[in-house]
Amino acid sequence: KPGSSLPAGSQLPCFHGSSTIRNLKERFHMNMTEEQLQLLIEQMVDGSMRSITTKLYDGFQYLTNGIM
């Protein structure tokens, strides 16, 4: 599971502070079941496909890099 081995005791400055690990766990949605994650991902993809900014960015990538 992503984030299950987050370095809580790490000496790296980026992991200092009480909210860093919590924020990462929230971002990875570690409290959700597989079914809840599947629904969330489907909603995120659907929202992205309907987004004008996604369409604009895809157009930009196609024109500048030939990437679609």
Side-chain angles (χ1 to χ4, degrees), residues 32-44:
M32 292 185 168
T33 65
E34 291 291 324
E35 293 79 16
Q36 290 171 324
L37 282 170
Q38 183 175 353
L39 181 60
L40 175 64
I41 297 301
E42 289 172 1
Q43 291 170 344
M44 291 171 75

Side-chain angles (χ1 to χ4, degrees), residues 49-65:
M49 289 175 62
R50 295 174 186 223
S51 171
I52 186 65
T53 55
T54 298
K55 290 175 178 45
L56 291 170
Y57 184 74
D58 287 347
F60 172 78
Q61 287 295 322
Y62 179 73
L63 291 173
T64 59
N65 302 309

Side-chain angles (χ1 to χ4, degrees), residues 1-19:
K1 201 170 190 182
S4 59
S5 61
L6 292 173
S10 174
Q11 297 302 313
L12 296 173
C14 60
F15 288 104
H16 289 208
S18 60
S19 63

